Each structure stands twice: as structure tokens, then as C-alpha cells.
Amino acid sequence: MNARETQTWDLDGGPPLLSDRLIEWVRDRDIGERAAVAALIEEGDVLARGDVRDLLVVENGAVVFCDWPRFEAQYRCVLVLDEGEDAFLTLVLATAFPRLVPLWKVEVLGDRRLVIVLRALARLAGADSVAVGCRS
């Protein structure tokens, strides 16, 4: 087994966490997908929803990946989302799967999700060191 095939196990000795598996998958993907996966993991609440995971994440044995086109085609029809969740997913999808997106969606994100989306956009620009958030 080479280094790519090695799976890390969580601290309890159980199977690897979904977030770890997604990070491993996205490592060799384009910058937009890396930024989108990082945003989903950082936000946490949306990816914790089973209905979101079932529509977005494909898990088949050792293979795990995000099916962006399928998710984009169906998420508004299949999922019941509040305004903030819809806005967040719209902007994350635009990061992973570039297309035109209404920027007015940021109005309903709330501070926490806005900071996450701004960090994703900074990652998309290749600027991992840009500080986003409130100064203390």
C-alpha cells in the first residue's frame, strides 16, 4: 500500500472522518474545489446534514468525492434550506463549480458564514495568508 492509499483513523481507532477523506480527495483537485471543501468543513453545520451529504458526497468503498454538478442541479428542489443555508451553498458552489452567481446572496449569510465565504474566496485567489474576520 502506497502513501496515497493509507487512510488515517480517528483518535478512537474508528474509520476516518468524512472531513479527512474529503480533504484527501480534494488535495489533487483544482483550487476552487479545495476552497469549497475547506469552506464546507469550516462551516460544519451544512455538511453535518444527512440530506446535504446524501446529495453532495459520493461514498463508494474507499472512494469519496463531491459531485458538484449533481448537487447544483438538484439542491434547491430536494433540500429544505433557510435563506442563510441557501446563500452559503450557492456561494460555495460558485467557488467549486464556477458560474455566475448573484452576489446579493451575501446579505443573508450572517457574520459567521460571511467570514467563511470570504476565506474561501481568498483561497480561490491563492491568498491563504489574507486575514479575514474581526480584530480583537
Side-chain angles (χ1 to χ4, degrees), residues 55 67-78 93 97 99:
L55 191 57
D67 188 340
W68 306 113
R70 177 183 72 176
F71 189 76
E72 182 180 40
Q74 298 179 26
Y75 81 101
R76 283 200 172 99
C77 300
V78 173
L93 269 170
F97 193 57
R99 62 179 175 73

Side-chain angles (χ1 to χ4, degrees), residues 17-111:
L17 299 172
L18 175 62
S19 58
D20 293 339
R21 294 174 70 205
L22 286 172
I23 290 168
E24 180 63 29
W25 162 72
V26 83
R27 184 170 289 148
D28 296 328
R29 306 295 293 183
D30 69 43
I31 194 165
E33 286 183 290
R34 291 194 309 268
V37 167
L40 285 167
I41 291 169
E42 181 180 350
E43 193 272 347
D45 296 337
V46 172
L47 194 57
R49 289 181 48 166
D51 56 348
V52 171
R53 280 192 320 275
D54 290 346
L55 191 57
L56 175 62
V57 178
V58 175
E59 292 186 85
N60 187 359
V63 177
V64 64
F65 64 94
C66 292
D67 188 340
W68 306 113
R70 177 183 72 176
F71 189 76
E72 182 180 40
Q74 298 179 26
Y75 81 101
R76 283 200 172 99
C77 300
V78 173
L79 303 175
V80 176
L81 303 169
D82 65 31
E83 271 188 318
E85 291 167 332
D86 178 64
F88 180 72
L89 287 171
T90 298
L91 293 163
V92 166
L93 269 170
T95 304
F97 193 57
R99 62 179 175 73
L100 294 176
V101 81
L103 289 178
W104 57 264
K105 289 277 191 183
V106 299
E107 291 178 339
V108 296
L109 284 177
D111 290 348

